[in-house]
Amino acid sequence: MKILVLNFGSSTAKSQLIDTDPELIARNNDRLLAKVTVDRMGTPYSVVNVQAPGKTPGKKRIKISKPIYKAEDAVQAITDAYLSYLPDELRGPEDIEGIGHRVVHGGERFQTSTIMTEEVVDDIEETVDLAPLHNPHNLKGYYAAKALLPHARHVAVFDTSFHQSMPPHAYLYGLPYLYYERYRIRRYGFHGTSHRYISYRYARIHGQTREAYKLITCHLGNGCSLCAVDQGRSIDTSMGFTPLEGLLMGTRCGDVDPMAVFYVLAHEEVDAQGLESLLNRMSGLYGVSGISSDMRILLEEMAKGSGRAKLAIDMFCYRARKYIGSYMAALNGCDAILFGGGIGENSPPVRQMICDGLKGLGVEIDAERNANAIGIEAQISTENSRTPVWVIPTNEELLIARDTLRCILGLPLP
Ligand code: ADP
């Protein structure tokens, strides 16, 4: 079945067309047919980027510049691109049978991926308040796709739902309980599709089911989060009520004493909105280094002797290590530590720096294995390491496509 995976943001719409069915899933042989992204939506300078197989081996990359203002135009441009670059796979739009929508926040209502009935869409509308920066855009993508591809079945896959298995002692904050009852203020956690995929792949590689392991999954990208996965279920994760909490990230501060924020409010000319922007967009690696939020640039600057780049990287690694230690305690020991996300998959030095401080907990990195593991599934710990450490490149789109297929066919979701 051809599934279109849609990830609609404020100015970017990412998509992949994936061919999957139960047999392909069993063989881990689902096919990514092409990727289409619309960048700078809502401006006259929008660009449609297509990555499709060419007539010659390898992938063809095409850039089409045209103004795209509305979500409908973006979905139309995406569909047109698939139809024109995949003539052998798609005879018409009706060949796209399922659409998997990435939805950031599912609140407490959505414990799992689900077909988007009217009632489900109404419930997602009600969670907009919890994720005002993301859910409205996700929904715009849904309405546009529903209008343009009405024959297809639409499925919502939530970033939060994997973490709905957390117990109350992990998801509640030490605020008056009333605020949980009144406003549902609690830890939700995000990147759930990534943590779920990484833990699933580790088990599959070892010929087991996820239930066999206690795992710590580290999604380190622009946004970063860790997850403690006990027998396939998230029991704790570092992001909280919003994606701001937890690790130091590209531009987000992660954990901070809320009183420090009040102090800034009292002493700087900044209002609540400005503060929100400061914490989400001007902090983290960028705010500490004063140079960049991009780990590659910071590693280069550190090599050239920049003290602030080194400080930001040290803080990043220390915070990640501290969370790994606390999740070892939360899990009462763990069977493996897994790295994914842009930094986790591609940066041997960062993985090394995080794990160097874990020798006392039985973690030992093999320098050569680590250096060779770039964007591939590989063990990076020594044979003697008490806790194995692996790189597992994440693939959220694939999991969204598989969930979409399973929801459409009425198959159980693992
Ligand atoms: P997002 O969270 O937006 O999906 P990614 O998972 O793509 O982001 O991660 C982006 C981060 O990955 C950036 O900080 C980038 O510098 C980092 N990154 C990508 N490749 C490398 C690399 N080779 N070495 C170090 N960092 C890398």
Side-chain angles (χ1 to χ4, degrees):
M1 189 185 288
K2 309 283 190 309
I3 307 277
L4 175 65
V5 176
L6 263 188
N7 180 358
F8 240 79
S10 58
S11 62
T12 304
K14 296 185 191 162
S15 78
Q16 292 191 5
L17 192 69
I18 294 175
D19 188 18
T20 182
D21 66 36
E23 217 174 276
L24 291 171
I25 295 176
R27 288 188 276 123
N28 200 36
N29 245 347
D30 336 41
R31 285 187 310 145
L32 167 64
L33 301 176
K35 292 186 191 184
V36 181
T37 301
V38 181
D39 286 323
R40 284 183 251 143
M41 255 184 332
T43 75
Y45 312 107
S46 325
V47 181
V48 183
N49 295 290
V50 184
Q51 269 184 60
K55 292 212 174 0
T56 46
K59 294 266 187 269
K60 203 197 269 178
R61 284 170 189 264
I62 302 118
K63 262 185 199 291
I64 308 156
S65 295
K66 64 170 174 185
I68 292 178
Y69 293 106
K70 293 193 299 211
E72 288 77 14
D73 299 339
V75 174
Q76 185 75 62
I78 287 170
T79 317
D80 289 349
Y82 286 120
L83 288 169
S84 52
Y85 290 101
L86 295 170
D88 299 338
E89 304 282 352
L90 294 177
R91 284 158 303 166
E94 58 288 346
D95 279 350
I96 301 174
E97 289 181 69
I99 305 193
H101 296 268
R102 177 191 180 214
V103 181
V104 168
H105 216 306
E108 288 187 322
R109 156 83 165 81
F110 296 105
Q111 317 262 327
T112 181
S113 306
T114 177
I115 294 269
M116 296 176 84
T117 59
E118 253 175 59
E119 188 197 345
V120 163
V121 175
D122 286 348
D123 283 349
I124 298 174
E125 286 282 5
E126 276 176 28
T127 62
V128 160
D129 191 35
L130 289 171
L133 300 180
H134 296 103
N135 276 23
H137 303 294
N138 306 155
L139 280 169
K140 262 191 217 164
Y142 162 75
Y143 291 124
K146 180 86 184 152
L148 286 168
L149 301 162
H151 64 277
R153 307 291 301 277
H154 294 255
V155 171
V157 180
F158 303 91
D159 273 17
T160 48
S161 58
F162 181 57
H163 303 299
Q164 279 297 304
S165 47
M166 283 187 291
H169 62 254
Y171 71 66
L172 284 174
Y173 291 117
L175 294 168
Y177 192 75
L178 176 71
Y179 295 130
Y180 170 62
E181 291 178 313
R182 192 177 284 171
Y183 304 116
R184 287 291 177 260
I185 293 179
R186 50 161 286 178
R187 176 182 310 287
Y188 289 96
F190 299 86
H191 289 147
T193 319
S194 178
H195 292 296
R196 196 175 134 213
Y197 178 82
I198 293 171
S199 53
Y200 150 83
R201 271 306 296 161
Y202 182 77
R204 276 296 293 265
I205 292 167
H206 293 84
Q208 299 283 344
T209 61
R210 262 179 301 199
E211 286 68 36
Y213 297 106
K214 296 191 220 182
L215 301 169
I216 297 175
T217 50
C218 311
H219 177 106
L220 307 179
N222 280 317
C224 301
S225 67
L226 256 70
C227 183
V229 186
D230 191 3
Q231 300 178 43
R233 292 161 63 81
S234 168
I235 62 148
D236 205 349
T237 190
S238 58
M239 283 178 167
F241 180 62
T242 75
L244 184 63
E245 193 181 347
L247 302 174
L248 196 79
M249 308 179 213
T251 60
R252 296 186 197 124
C253 57
D255 295 337
V256 69
D257 181 343
M259 289 311 288
V261 179
F262 289 118
Y263 198 86
V264 174
L265 196 60
H267 290 81
E268 289 276 318
E269 284 195 17
V270 62
D271 58 11
Q273 211 184 352
L275 255 186
E276 197 179 313
S277 168
L278 180 102
L279 300 172
N280 278 290
R281 284 188 276 279
M282 291 157 75
S283 299
L285 290 172
Y286 172 70
V288 173
S289 70
I291 301 171
S292 173
S293 62
D294 190 314
M295 185 56 93
R296 277 167 297 200
I297 294 174
L298 293 179
L299 287 163
E300 280 165 24
E301 291 300 315
M302 181 170 78
K304 287 187 219 155
S306 163
R308 288 271 291 281
K310 180 173 182 323
L311 176 64
I313 295 170
D314 283 346
M315 286 170 67
F316 180 93
C317 295
Y318 176 69
R319 186 90 57 96
R321 190 188 311 145
K322 211 160 80 162
Y323 264 95
I324 291 175
S326 68
Y327 286 171
M328 281 183 165
L331 288 164
N332 193 12
C334 89
D335 298 315
I337 298 167
L338 312 175
F339 284 101
I343 300 173
E345 289 160 24
N346 298 304
S347 183
V350 171
R351 295 190 301 244
Q352 183 80 54
M353 281 184 269
I354 293 172
C355 294
D356 268 349
L358 292 168
K359 285 201 185 100
L361 292 176
V363 175
E364 222 181 284
I365 297 296
D366 181 309
E368 197 179 325
R369 282 181 178 173
N370 187 30
N372 291 331
I374 297 187
I376 54 167
E377 291 176 346
Q379 181 179 344
I380 59 168
S381 53
T382 63
E383 288 310 310
N384 292 330
S385 182
R386 240 189 301 138
T387 308
V389 184
W390 279 67
V391 174
I392 309 272
T394 193
N395 195 339
E396 291 161 281
E397 291 79 9
L398 182 61
L399 206 59
I400 292 174
R402 289 176 173 180
D403 270 15
T404 303
L405 174 89
R406 290 180 180 120
C407 284
I408 292 173
L409 298 181
L411 300 171
L413 294 166

